[in-house]
Amino acid sequence: MTQPVRALVVGAGAVGQVYARHLQLGGAEVTLFVREAYRASAARGFTLYPLNAARPRQPVRFEPAAVIARPDEVAARRFDLVILTVASPALAGAWLRDLIAAAGDATIVALQPGLDDRDVILAAGAPAERLVSGMITLIGYAAPLPGETGFAEPSTAYWFPPLAPCALSGPRADRVVRALRAGQLPARRVADAARASAFPSAILMPYLVALETAGWSFEALCLP
């Protein structure tokens, strides 16, 4: 029997919540790594609104298998994937080196967009052969925005723009792509995620402009 992918998602903001939920939908066992101050709230889980769904105002729940906050807790477990969803500035500090050292042979997935972020992660001890670079293409926000209706409670809403799957590159990218696709998160392997990000960025910017013009209303944006 095939063992489920064991994924550690670092960060529980909008991006972390979405990637964690879709990995779990694909059968992965998902643990969150957060600061100690957020451990209890993260353990309670999250409500999300997937706007690509047939019923986009229908809330869904994500509850992690576990929540941890220290490198020794990482070392006490075994993970196949460690997915970094924190912002680029958060990569600074000793915590990242300690986390990577504790992660054993896990594949490190870096979703940070900064040009120098890959070098920062390599300098923190991630071997190049274990590092997968990716690009976030989803749009996520704290719903409801002013004037939005139909949300049962304030939470994270997110949307996957068409023609812009998450691009991933690196020696171990195939397994990451399979795990994300299994959970219905659009993803594809590319030769170089940084170069491949140019086209999705070009696709994404008009959507953002259109959303702003439509008053950040997906209903108004989608009207013929």
Side-chain angles (χ1 to χ4, degrees):
M1 184 174 179
T2 304
Q3 292 292 322
V5 172
R6 288 162 290 202
L8 179 67
V9 176
V10 180
V15 174
Q17 292 173 35
V18 172
Y19 274 76
R21 174 182 181 251
H22 282 273
L23 283 164
Q24 189 179 76
L25 283 177
E29 180 183 293
V30 181
T31 298
L32 293 179
F33 184 91
V34 299
R35 294 180 183 178
E36 188 65 51
Y38 301 114
R39 185 198 290 258
S41 61
R44 290 192 289 270
F46 302 91
T47 298
L48 300 99
Y49 295 94
L51 299 179
N52 297 87
R55 299 175 64 190
R57 292 296 187 271
Q58 182 69 31
V60 298
R61 288 286 297 170
F62 163 69
E63 296 178 1
V67 179
I68 58 180
R70 303 189 310 271
D72 64 298
E73 294 177 286
V74 176
R77 295 164 168 80
R78 182 180 178 276
F79 294 103
D80 303 301
L81 305 178
V82 173
I83 302 183
L84 303 174
T85 71
V86 297
S88 297
L91 297 176
W95 74 270
L96 181 59
R97 179 175 292 277
D98 294 340
L99 175 69
I100 291 172
D105 188 50
T107 297
I108 310 296
V109 183
L111 297 177
Q112 288 67 35
L115 294 176
D116 299 325
D117 291 336
R118 176 181 170 83
D119 292 337
V120 170
I121 296 167
L122 289 171
E129 67 274 11
R130 285 171 40 207
L131 182 59
V132 172
S133 298
M135 179 189 173
I136 301 165
T137 54
L138 66 92
I139 297 174
Y141 66 95
L145 293 170
E148 279 192 312
T149 59
F151 292 99
E153 61 182 279
S155 194
T156 298
Y158 68 96
W159 183 58
F160 296 124
L163 305 177
C166 173
L168 296 154
S169 62
R172 298 185 177 185
D174 286 338
R175 186 176 193 187
V176 183
V177 169
R178 287 195 300 270
L180 294 174
R181 284 182 176 175
Q184 303 172 30
L185 192 153
R188 67 186 177 109
R189 185 192 177 112
V190 297
D192 187 328
R195 290 180 180 272
S197 68
F199 178 69
S201 295
I203 292 292
L204 190 60
M205 290 306 107
Y207 279 115
L208 291 175
V209 172
L211 274 169
E212 185 173 11
T213 302
W216 295 101
S217 166
F218 279 91
E219 289 85 355
L221 175 67
C222 295
L223 285 175

